[in-house]
Structures are given as C-alpha cells and as structure tokens.
Amino acid sequence: MKKNPKTLKLILFSIAGIALLIFPLLAKNSYQVHILNLVGIYMMLSLGLNIAMGYAGQMNLAMGALWAVGAYTAGLLNQRLGLSLWLTLPCAIVAGGLVGGFVGLPALKVRAHYLSIVTIGLNEVINIILVNETKLTGGVDGISKIAKPALFGFKINTEQRYYYLILIAVIATFLISRQILSGRVGRNFRAIRDDYKTAPAMGVNAGFYKLLAFIISGCFAGAAGALYAHLNAYISPDIFEHKTTLFIMTLTMVGGLGNLNGSLIGSFILPVLQEYLRAIQDWQYVVYGLAIMVVVLFVPGGLMQVFTLLKPYVTMLTSRFNKLKSGTTVGEDSNVS
Amino acid sequence: MFLELEHLTMKFGGLVAVDDISFSVNKGEIHGLIGPNGSGKTTIFNMLSGYYKPTSGKIVFEGKNITGLPAHKVTQAGFARTFQNLRLFKSMTVLENVMVSMGHLAKTQLLNVMFNPIAAQKENDLFTEKAMKLLDLLDIRQYAHNLAVSLPYGTQRRVEIARALATEPKILLLDEPAAGLNEVETNELAEILTTIRQSGITIFLVEHDMKLVMGSCHEITVIDYGKKIAEGDCDCVRSDPRVIEAYLGKEEDL
Ligand SMILES: Nc1ncnc2c1ncn2[C@@H]1O[C@H](COP(=O)(O)OP(=O)(O)OP(=O)(O)O)[C@@H](O)[C@H]1O
Ligand SMILES: [Mg+2]
C-alpha cells in the first residue's frame, strides 16, 4: 500500500475544507445557509458546554441564558451606542464570562444533579430579568434593527457573507478549545471530573477550576450571542429559554460528551433534524428526550463513541476491499495484520 | 520539629474517631502509624492532608500551623498522600495521572498555557520528562500510556506513589501501600520506600503488614480506638504489653 494514513487524512481534510468553503454557492436558497449559520452558532455553544460538562464535569444548565447575555450585550451596545460587531463581540465575551462565573458559584457548594437544578434555575432568573426589565431589554418585544457588520467597507449583510464570518469563528473556537484542553488546564478539568475529592490532594484547586470551566463556557456563549444578535438583527427572550439550554445539552450529549468533535457533529445533526421535525411541533421534544435516554443508557460517549465502536469493522471492510482490489497473495496477507 | 500533632481530636457525631492524640514525626525518617481496623489511622491522614477539619487540636508543620487548610494548600505546603482504596483518575493514562500532580508547581502563567501553544507544549514536555523519571523510579515506564485503572492492582499502587511523589512533597503519607500486594511486591515496596527516604522525603506510613513496618520504620506510633497507646522504636513497641493485647495479640489469634 502506497497511501499512508497521513496523506489520506490530508485528502479528507482538503475535501472537507473545500466543501465548507463552497457550500454557500451550492445552497438552494439563503434559508439553507441561515440554518448552517445557526449550526455554527450551536457549535460554539456546544463546545463551551462540552468543556464545562464533558471535560470538567460541571453541569452548566444555563447555556441558553449565557447565550442571551452575549446577544443582549451586543444588541444593546449596538442599539444604544452604535458599536459594531467588532466591538460588541469582545464585550459580549467578557459579559458572558462574568455571568458564567457567577452562574458557576453554586458549584463550589453543590454538584451533579443539584448543580443542574440550581443552574437551570439561574437560567430562568436571567430570562425573567430579560422579560421584566422592559426599559433596558425591551421586554418580550426584545431588541430589533441590530446592525450587520462590515469589514473595510465590505458589508457582511447577507447570509452567504455571514457564513464565512461564522466559519472563522467556529474554527477559532474549536482551536482555542483544543489548546485550552491540551495542557495543564485540560488535565485539571478531567481530574476534578474523574474524582473531585482526590484532585485537591494532587494540588489541584478544585473550586478555581470549576469556576474557570463555567467562565470559559460563558465566554463561548457570549461570543455566540454577539454573532447571533448581529446575524438575526432581532433578539427576544423566548429564544433563550430553558428549552434552548436543554437543546444545547441534548446536541452535545448526542454528539459526545468529553469529545470536541462530538460537539461539531451533534450541533450539525440536531438543528438540521429540527428543520425536518418542525412539522410535529412540540412533539420534537419527545424525540430529543428519547435521544438523551438512548445516549445515557447505551452510548454515554454519544455518536463519537458509536464511531469508535464501528472503527474496527470499517478497517476490516476497507482492508478486505483493498485485498479484493489488489488480489493480495497469502504471504502479503500476514503482513497486514 | 518537622511535623507535630497536638491534641488532635476528630468526632463524627457521637463517635470519637481520634481522641486527643499528640506525637511528632522527625524529618528524614520513616514513621509508622499502626493500630487495629477502625482505630482512626485514615482519619488522622485525612486531617493531616486537609480532608477533615479536626474537631480540636493543632497540626504544626515546619513551625507553621496548617490546621484546617484546604487540601490543595496542604499539598502546596509539602504534603502528598496515597489512598487506602486506589483512587486514580479513571479517564487518564499513567503518565497523565502523574502529570496532574505537577500542575501546582508550574511556572507558566495560566493564560499563557491556555492560549499560547508554544508555552503549553514546552510545559507539557517538561512535565512529561519529569514524570517519566518518576515512572522509572517505580519501574512502571512501560505502562506510561496505558489507562491507569486498567492495570493490575500492584501496578496501580505504584502509580499512586508516583503520582504523590510528582507533587514534590516534603512528607509522603502512605495509607496501607502494601494492601493487596504479594510477598515479592511487598519486598519491592520496602526497597522503594528506602529509595524515597534517601532522596530526602520523610515518610509517614500506615500499614498492617508488620514485617514491612518493623523492617522499615525508625519510629512507630500505635493507636487503638482513637487513642495513642504506645510509641517508640520497633523493639520498644513490639514488647509493649498494651500493643500485644490490642494489636499484635490479635494477629497471633488469626
Ligand atoms: N467520614 C466519616 N464519618 C463517620 N465516621 C467515620 C468517618 N470516617 C471514619 N469514620 C469512623 O472513624 C473510625 C476510624 O476510621 P478510620 O478509617 O480512621 O480507621 P482506620 O484505622 O483507617 O481503619 P482501617 O485499618 O480499617 O483502614 C471508624 O469507626 C470509622 O467508621
Ligand atoms: Mg484506614
């Protein structure tokens, strides 16, 4: 065999890269591109949740509200002060991180299911503030006419153009996630997830790393919020209710907790599926509920675990296929295994 | 004095697990703590390592009162420990388990390791190199990339010791390190203890294996029902009638 796995990987990567770049040109209509833009935003949210929940083991069930914090920060700064996305985005990241840290404070006292309940409660608290602080947030009407960004005079004012912006943001978020998790911080996250009682004996300040996990997920949600606000031009509290939080949790779990690629896959499959499930309205939540149950009971590692389980079979099939193609002799066969 | 326990008491509701215990551990020695099951040995370790806050009493380490410090601060002060029931990080390889312990010594700024790939790589390389040396010391280098919890019991015990040493402690608390080991493994453990002590680390050892305790310890403290009943060197403890009654006597019955 001449092809080695590295060149194969490179080829696959190039194909994927080209596909991502030309997708908006192939799409039937801008609605399809819009869906993909949302997919990108879910990817950022899911990466944030995956770091907190999948890696650090911290149940952050306030992602919807943290997303709102980013969106409202950007929306208000644009509406009131006329700031562009390039300025509202960093502000939204900071705001998301701060509120994320605040939402994480209960993690210093409670954990697991109790933490889920407290954080989902905080999600509601933030949502109620959005609805009731009418003067600041516009109440149920939300904020509208948020300006589209421009780059050196080039207006990013169509779904197609925005697509590339989100593509860059997702790639950046993914690379940053990988970087954060690759060293000391990632190991400490996994240490407190694996055994929160043992980690401190190894010098890990468990409380600090719990908060850090919440802050990072808040920053990612903040960035996703700013991008969403300027993309949609209109935001209202109902988008960020707890069912959004549960949707983000579902797609992260279906993709694979503790695996960044899982976040990408889950964020693609579920929102696209949602488009097809629109017809059955609220019944779609039954489908998500069942999906979570299947994952928790049978494949806790989500789709990424399914892939690893299937891997040996795929290798077996491809090697059979290669053998058929090249008519390998018995002698060479023994080298393969 | 290196480590001093002063009138340490730990109550769980009505149960007095550790009852007004005082003794000291000398620098550079192997100090044994023995006593029958449930006599309060692990509870003493848990107080020393910041897991339990003593009901009363003081822990003084190198002249500093460290009573009630949180566990990670105690580790930073120079304590390391292993656990009676193995508690390795279950998603990590042997190498990663050991590397976790090095985080608190890291010189690189947190933001730098989070966002600067070069700095992070440099730190990881440094940690890997140091961890590999510890794996060599415990003769487990060949398992570096195995999932720690998938290894045989005796090997996991070694990983626990390597992980504790990686915090670069001044004193190492070992809670029954020979439990579940066969005779060959126990002899190897005795050699490891000697090597560790020779490198300048004080060892505080809880152990039921009398051969190991008598062979390794310079000083032994004996407790029963949370109370100190004897202390001294091996011969002194071995011949103490209260110890024979409370502890060694029981062993003979078995
Ligand atoms: N967290 C706790 N809550 C309540 N009781 C406890 C707790 N920890 C220990 N105890 C009790 O304190 C007493 C001493 O327990 P400890 O684990 O210190 O004994 P030990 O000497 O380590 O025994 P062994 O040799 O079996 O390990 C026991 O009666 C135990 O049940
Ligand atoms: Mg014990």
Side-chain angles (χ1 to χ4, degrees):
Chain A
M1 282 285 287
K2 270 186 201 138
K3 264 190 259 167
N4 65 32
K6 253 196 184 150
T7 45
L8 194 70
K9 226 176 179 175
L10 201 73
I11 292 168
L12 283 177
F13 260 112
S14 326
I15 293 172
I18 293 167
L20 281 173
L21 282 176
I22 62 171
F23 172 81
L25 309 173
L26 301 178
K28 281 207 203 79
N29 48 44
S30 65
Y31 186 68
Q32 279 190 347
V33 185
H34 179 71
I35 296 303
L36 221 61
N37 284 341
L38 289 183
V39 163
I41 284 167
Y42 279 124
M43 283 176 175
M44 295 170 71
L45 289 163
S46 176
L47 286 168
L49 180 62
N50 214 338
I51 290 177
M53 194 171 150
Y55 284 85
Q58 302 305 306
M59 303 297 290
N60 177 2
L61 292 192
M63 281 307 275
L66 293 173
W67 186 22
V69 168
Y72 272 83
T73 304
L76 284 171
L77 285 175
N78 180 263
Q79 194 192 47
R80 302 278 164 93
L81 304 177
L83 300 187
S84 75
L85 172 69
W86 315 120
L87 291 172
T88 63
L89 179 64
C91 295
I93 293 173
V94 171
L98 285 176
V99 181
F102 174 75
V103 168
L105 285 176
L108 303 179
K109 284 279 168 221
V110 295
R111 47 184 299 276
H113 313 309
Y114 301 101
L115 186 57
S116 316
I117 293 166
V118 177
T119 52
I120 206 155
L122 287 172
N123 194 104
E124 282 313 280
V125 169
I126 293 171
N127 213 271
I128 288 167
I129 293 173
L130 294 181
V131 173
N132 289 317
E133 286 297 313
T134 323
K135 268 198 194 127
L136 181 70
T137 64
V140 284
D141 296 333
I143 301 173
S144 50
K145 300 206 187 85
I146 302 163
K148 290 273 189 310
L151 193 61
F152 305 119
F154 178 76
K155 287 208 178 89
I156 307 175
N157 56 0
T158 63
E159 291 288 345
Q160 277 79 1
R161 290 176 182 180
Y162 215 92
Y163 170 89
Y164 293 101
L165 183 65
I166 288 186
L167 184 63
I168 292 169
V170 170
I171 292 172
T173 312
F174 183 79
L175 292 178
I176 288 171
S177 307
R178 233 177 44 172
Q179 181 53 39
I180 289 174
L181 295 170
S182 72
R184 182 166 105 213
V185 176
R187 272 192 303 276
N188 287 351
F189 279 165
R190 287 161 59 208
I192 60 172
R193 175 197 66 191
D194 284 1
D195 192 339
Y196 71 102
K197 277 191 171 160
T198 302
M202 307 306 138
V204 179
N205 183 345
F208 173 83
Y209 280 94
K210 284 177 188 174
L211 281 186
L212 183 64
F214 272 93
I215 290 171
I216 291 172
S217 56
C219 289
F220 285 16
L227 285 170
Y228 180 78
H230 287 268
L231 166 71
N232 225 28
Y234 166 70
I235 50 174
S236 58
D238 56 311
I239 308 164
F240 309 104
E241 280 171 5
H242 65 272
K243 58 183 179 190
T244 304
T245 294
L246 294 181
F247 185 62
I248 299 165
M249 185 185 82
T250 309
L251 61 84
T252 308
M253 288 177 69
V254 167
L257 278 177
N259 190 319
L260 294 180
N261 296 329
S263 273
L264 301 185
I265 290 172
S267 305
F268 180 80
I269 292 180
L270 261 83
V272 170
L273 186 71
Q274 195 180 33
E275 287 307 306
Y276 292 100
L277 292 182
R278 217 164 266 280
I280 58 169
Q281 294 173 354
D282 276 356
W283 284 96
Q284 57 182 286
Y285 293 101
V286 176
V287 177
Y288 305 145
L290 286 174
I292 289 202
M293 274 164 65
V294 169
V295 167
V296 169
L297 289 176
F298 302 110
V299 274
L303 283 170
M304 290 314 295
Q305 190 188 353
V306 175
F307 292 151
T308 23
L309 289 177
L310 289 179
K311 216 171 175 178
Y313 299 102
V314 176
T315 348
M316 199 175 74
L317 283 177
T318 44
S319 72
R320 285 234 181 112
F321 178 71
N322 284 336
K323 252 184 276 173
L324 278 181
K325 224 172 45 178
S326 58
T328 326
T329 61
V330 185
E332 277 169 325
D333 199 342
S334 58
N335 282 336
V336 176
S337 57
Chain B
M1 268 299 152
F2 186 60
L3 171 65
E4 269 178 291
L5 289 69
E6 298 175 9
H7 305 290
L8 268 192
T9 302
M10 184 79 221
K11 292 183 188 163
F12 298 109
L15 175 85
V16 188
V18 174
D19 192 358
D20 192 25
I21 284 190
S22 304
F23 62 88
S24 55
V25 175
N26 295 325
K27 194 177 165 97
E29 291 191 349
I30 300 183
H31 191 115
L33 176 63
I34 61 173
N37 290 110
S39 56
K41 304 179 296 293
T42 299
T43 305
I44 290 179
F45 267 23
N46 282 339
M47 286 190 283
L48 286 177
S49 56
Y51 276 81
Y52 293 160
K53 212 177 155 139
T55 314
S56 62
K58 250 181 13 178
I59 302 164
V60 181
F61 182 58
E62 292 186 318
K64 280 193 297 264
N65 184 353
I66 60 159
T67 326
L69 277 187
H72 68 275
K73 288 261 171 67
V74 176
T75 303
Q76 282 158 15
F79 279 70
R81 68 170 291 181
T82 62
F83 294 85
Q84 184 172 352
N85 310 307
L86 294 168
R87 296 188 78 147
L88 292 167
F89 299 121
K90 57 180 180 290
S91 77
M92 298 190 200
T93 64
V94 168
L95 181 63
E96 287 173 320
N97 260 285
V98 175
M99 283 166 78
V100 167
S101 299
M102 295 174 167
H104 77 104
L105 304 163
K107 302 244 160 30
T108 330
Q109 290 288 313
L110 191 73
L111 286 177
N112 209 8
V113 285
M114 282 170 76
F115 299 112
N116 177 353
I118 299 164
Q121 187 61 45
K122 225 165 114 185
E123 181 174 287
N124 273 345
D125 289 347
L126 179 78
F127 283 9
T128 308
E129 197 187 309
K130 282 211 267 183
M132 281 300 187
K133 282 198 188 124
L134 282 173
L135 298 190
D136 278 336
L137 181 76
L138 287 141
D139 203 17
I140 47 177
R141 177 186 267 265
Q142 67 268 38
Y143 305 114
H145 300 290
N146 289 54
L147 209 58
V149 290
S150 71
L151 296 168
Y153 198 80
T155 316
Q156 289 196 44
R157 284 249 172 249
R158 284 170 182 243
V159 179
E160 276 237 341
I161 296 175
R163 184 177 68 167
L165 286 176
T167 65
E168 298 190 1
K170 294 173 182 155
I171 180 166
L172 176 61
L173 316 184
L174 297 172
D175 199 348
E176 301 196 20
L181 302 191
N182 61 34
E183 208 175 323
V184 179
E185 289 172 322
T186 307
N187 289 339
E188 287 168 355
L189 176 67
E191 278 172 37
I192 292 169
L193 295 190
T194 312
T195 319
I196 294 172
R197 187 186 73 83
Q198 279 164 355
S199 74
I201 297 168
T202 307
I203 295 176
F204 192 10
L205 174 72
V206 163
E207 187 46 68
H208 283 299
D209 186 317
M210 280 309 126
K211 216 176 124 213
L212 180 66
V213 172
M214 296 300 167
S216 308
C217 294
H218 303 89
E219 182 85 19
I220 296 170
T221 304
V222 190
I223 61 171
D224 192 17
Y225 293 110
K227 286 201 172 72
K228 183 170 85 177
I229 56 167
E231 65 187 330
D233 60 21
C234 297
D235 295 330
C236 173
V237 164
R238 220 189 319 239
S239 54
D240 193 305
R242 275 173 305 179
V243 178
I244 295 169
E245 190 194 321
Y247 195 85
L248 298 176
K250 262 187 208 159
E251 289 265 281
E252 276 165 17
D253 291 343
L254 285 173

